[in-house]
Each structure stands twice: as structure tokens, then as C-alpha cells.
Amino acid sequence: MNLEEIRQEIEEFITDSAEELEQFRQKYLSKKGTLSQFFDQLRTLTADDRKEFGQKINTLKNNALQKFEQLKTEIENRCVGQTSDIDLTAPANVAQMGARHPVSVVKKQICDVFAKIGFTIAQGPEIEDDWHNFEALNFAPDHPARDMQDTFFIDTEPDIALRTHTSSIQVRIMEQNQPPIRVVCPGRVFRNETITARSHCIFHQIEGLYIDKNVSFADMKQTLLYFAQQMFGSHIRIRLRPSYFPFTEPSAEMDISCDICKGEGCVLCKKSGWVEILGCGMVDPNVLSNCGIDPNIYSGFAFGMGIERITQQLYKTKDIRLFFENDVRFLQQFAAI
Ligand code: DAH
């Protein structure tokens, strides 16, 4: 073997076996190895030749040493995994996955039910003016809902407040569109109320609005029955109780039959067999004309519900504050839905 062949062999040598590496070491780096024999030959050369030849075999020796060290480290590193440093049988760390908030899940469910019967989704601003939140909706100037105790007003702008309900969106929709109108409007609303298990100063509502020619109270009842049965099950019954809202005439509150006691009466429905879930009514003609829609041609109904309340009804949770505290132990229970 000449020096060039040896140089090439060292350069091309590659292995992942400790045994082969040891053979390589013996061949090029041990006292009895190929290179040592060349060192022995040095003595037989002239001074000039010795210098040149010596340099060449020294370089080869260094190359072999470098190669040996490099492969040794690689093999050792690979072996680490097979020793006790890493337990390949240990279970993997399971990454904690996030999940949608129960209020978001139920909001989508409600919107999906109405989407199936042709309702589209609309939104509006959380910071509203008095016209959209109250006046256009037929609230008298001295209506108690405008009171400082119920509404968060913006200090510097007496006419501007955080919306107290999503009914403000129906005003915006009617101002901007002519019938037929079929929308559901989800959103966050704000009321200056004490935070308790049953009430919160921030919560979510969905407003519904249907305006066309010849829309009747019967259409409303049928639509809301469809909604209740889609959400809570086909065995659910509804009842409409007369009520009052400034923006609807007539107005009603809708109850669903209690799913726990099947109408027999239990603690959850306060022994009545019914649970209130929304307010509704025929849009007052004043509201239609306030929004630029001719009440002599068109009629319609509106409804509004609290999303937290529906969620509580679906999942039998009792304290509304749980929805806002973001305690993972609570939220995790909804991860699968
Ligand atoms: N805006 C009412 C509330 O916040 C809910 C409501 C009742 C909305 C009747 C309506 C309706 O559209 O017709 O309590």
C-alpha cells in the first residue's frame, strides 16, 4: 500500500461499530500498525527525504487520529440512548390541549340551529349609543333600564354606553336592510349588577330577528319550538307566558319543560316543571318605523336569550361565575364537546 492509498482509506473510513473502530485504531495508530512501519523506514532515508516523508506520514497519523476521535464520540453518543440515561419505555409527556369555552360551544350550537332554517349571523358594537340601545327600541326616556344602576355609561359621553343587550343589533340590521330579514346576533353584553351565583356584570346573549310580509305570532311560536327541540331534545315542550318588553307587542317569555323532572316539579325548576329560557315578541310597529321599515307592509318577531343560561340548562351548572373565572378544572370538563 502506498501513502496515497492509505490517505484515501483513512478519509473514506466510516463505521458505527465499536469493533471496527478498534480495528481501525490498531491498523493506523498502534505501535504495530501500518503507519508505525513507515516511521521505522525513516531511519533508512537521507536527511532531506526523511523530512519530506516524515511530514507526510505525520499528516496521515493526525488524520487517522482525528477520524478515530470523531467516530468514537459518535458511537458513544449513540450508545447513550441504550444505557440507563434515557428510558425509552417511559410514557410520553402528554401535551395539554386547549379547548373551546363552553359558552363559545353553545353559542355555535344555537347559531347552527337557526342557520338550518335560513338565519344568517350578524354582529354589532359593544360600545353603543343611546339610540341603538334604547331609544329606537321604544324605551321611554325615564325607563328604569337606562338608570345608572343598570347601565355602564361612558363618563365623558352621556349618550354612549356599553350595550345592555344584543337587541341593539336588530336596530342596526333594520336600519341597513329592507325585509326579508332573518338574522341571529350573538354578542357580549354589560350590566351594572352585583356579581353573584345567578348574575354577572358581563354575559352573552343571542338576539333573533325575522321581518317579512305576513309574519305572525304562530310563525314565532313554531320557530322557537323548533329551536327548543333541536337544542334540548325532541321530547321538549314549550310554553309562552305574557310579558312586557318596550320593543315588542305582544311580548312573551318562553319556558321549556324541565328536562330533569320531565315536568313533574323539582328543585332545579323550583317545583314548577318549567324553566324560563328566553324573551320574545312581535316587533313593535314603532320600532319598525324608527328603523325605516314600513309597519303597514311588514311585520316580524324578535327574541333574545342568555347564552350562559342555555349552557347552564344544558350542562346543569349552577354558578354563572364559573364561566368567567377560567378555572381549568371547570373548563376541562367541556374539552370533549
Ligand atoms: N333584550 C331582552 C333582554 O335583554 C331580551 C329580549 C326580549 C330580546 C324580547 C328580544 C325580545 O328581541 O323580543 O332581556
Side-chain angles (χ1 to χ4, degrees), residues 319-333:
D319 192 324
I320 193 172
R321 290 170 292 197
L322 288 166
F323 293 124
F324 302 97
E325 282 164 358
N326 284 333
D327 185 332
V328 185
R329 290 168 302 177
F330 174 71
L331 297 176
Q332 241 167 14
Q333 300 176 57

Side-chain angles (χ1 to χ4, degrees), residues 101-170:
H101 192 282
V103 169
S104 302
V105 173
V106 172
K107 175 177 83 178
K108 182 171 184 303
Q109 267 174 337
I110 299 171
C111 289
D112 286 351
V113 169
F114 285 105
K116 276 198 240 165
I117 49 172
F119 283 72
T120 53
I121 295 173
Q123 284 179 327
E126 293 181 343
I127 300 172
E128 261 303 2
D129 51 42
D130 187 82
W131 169 257
H132 290 96
N133 198 77
F134 294 124
E135 202 174 331
L137 288 165
N138 220 17
F139 280 82
D142 55 353
H143 193 284
R146 296 184 183 219
D147 201 291
M148 295 297 272
Q149 273 160 24
D150 289 314
T151 308
F152 287 115
F153 287 95
I154 309 286
D155 276 353
T156 48
E157 307 274 342
D159 237 27
I160 306 290
L162 297 181
R163 69 178 172 205
T164 58
H165 53 181
T166 43
S167 302
S168 55
I169 310 174
Q170 60 159 284

Side-chain angles (χ1 to χ4, degrees), residues 137 139 164-168 170 189 191 203 205-209 220 244-245 247-253 278-283 301-306:
L137 288 165
F139 280 82
T164 58
H165 53 181
T166 43
S167 302
S168 55
Q170 60 159 284
V189 300
R191 286 187 199 173
F203 56 101
Q205 287 188 331
I206 292 195
E207 184 79 9
L209 180 70
M220 179 179 85
Y244 173 76
F245 299 102
F247 36 91
T248 44
E249 183 58 38
S251 304
E253 267 162 315
L278 57 81
C280 57
M282 301 306 291
V283 179
F301 61 81
F303 54 89
M305 65 187 99

Side-chain angles (χ1 to χ4, degrees), residues 21-300:
L21 184 62
E22 173 56 15
Q23 284 163 14
F24 174 85
R25 189 192 67 79
Q26 279 173 14
K27 186 166 178 189
Y28 296 111
L29 298 168
S30 77
K31 288 219 167 73
K32 284 182 218 143
T34 322
L35 287 181
S36 297
Q37 287 164 26
F38 283 111
F39 280 112
D40 290 340
Q41 285 175 24
L42 282 178
R43 266 178 275 128
T44 62
L45 299 175
T46 62
D48 279 352
D49 286 346
R50 193 183 301 154
K51 194 177 168 208
E52 200 193 324
F53 193 69
Q55 269 173 357
K56 280 187 180 163
I57 48 180
N58 251 331
T59 310
L60 286 183
K61 192 179 167 196
N62 285 337
N63 289 354
L65 194 65
Q66 220 178 2
K67 183 71 144 209
F68 172 77
E69 293 294 348
Q70 175 206 332
L71 291 174
K72 188 169 160 233
T73 322
E74 283 180 17
I75 290 171
E76 278 171 356
N77 283 348
R78 203 167 307 131
C79 286
V80 169
Q82 291 153 22
T83 67
S84 58
D85 288 11
I86 296 176
D87 179 0
L88 295 177
T89 64
N93 284 338
V94 181
Q96 284 229 337
M97 299 291 281
R100 294 172 75 197
H101 192 282
V103 169
S104 302
V105 173
V106 172
K107 175 177 83 178
K108 182 171 184 303
Q109 267 174 337
I110 299 171
C111 289
D112 286 351
V113 169
F114 285 105
K116 276 198 240 165
I117 49 172
F119 283 72
T120 53
I121 295 173
Q123 284 179 327
E126 293 181 343
I127 300 172
E128 261 303 2
D129 51 42
D130 187 82
W131 169 257
H132 290 96
N133 198 77
F134 294 124
E135 202 174 331
L137 288 165
N138 220 17
F139 280 82
D142 55 353
H143 193 284
R146 296 184 183 219
D147 201 291
M148 295 297 272
Q149 273 160 24
D150 289 314
T151 308
F152 287 115
F153 287 95
I154 309 286
D155 276 353
T156 48
E157 307 274 342
D159 237 27
I160 306 290
L162 297 181
R163 69 178 172 205
T164 58
H165 53 181
T166 43
S167 302
S168 55
I169 310 174
Q170 60 159 284
V171 176
R172 291 185 175 271
I173 296 295
M174 286 191 280
E175 283 174 340
Q176 286 155 20
N177 301 278
Q178 278 299 305
I181 293 172
R182 241 180 282 150
V183 284
V184 278
C185 321
R188 200 156 55 143
V189 300
F190 308 84
R191 286 187 199 173
N192 197 355
E193 278 183 29
T194 317
I195 299 173
T196 67
R198 296 171 61 84
S199 67
H200 209 285
C201 57
I202 303 177
F203 56 101
H204 298 79
Q205 287 188 331
I206 292 195
E207 184 79 9
L209 180 70
Y210 184 14
I211 311 283
D212 205 346
K213 286 179 183 152
N214 300 319
V215 178
S216 70
F217 197 90
D219 294 323
M220 179 179 85
K221 191 177 166 195
Q222 201 56 37
T223 305
L224 295 178
L225 174 65
Y226 166 80
F227 161 70
Q229 296 192 336
Q230 288 282 310
M231 270 320 269
F232 299 102
S234 52
H235 59 287
I236 291 291
R237 288 167 297 131
I238 63 165
R239 80 174 179 187
L240 293 167
R241 280 179 292 106
S243 185
Y244 173 76
F245 299 102
F247 36 91
T248 44
E249 183 58 38
S251 304
E253 267 162 315
M254 185 175 98
D255 299 341
I256 55 168
S257 50
C258 177
D259 208 15
I260 298 287
C261 61
K262 311 286 176 240
E264 294 287 305
C266 66
V267 261
L268 267 164
C269 60
K270 297 193 210 97
K271 305 263 179 238
S272 71
W274 296 95
V275 184
E276 184 202 317
I277 61 159
L278 57 81
C280 57
M282 301 306 291
V283 179
D284 193 293
N286 282 344
V287 175
L288 291 177
S289 19
N290 283 344
C291 302
I293 290 175
D294 187 345
N296 296 314
I297 306 176
Y298 296 107
S299 59

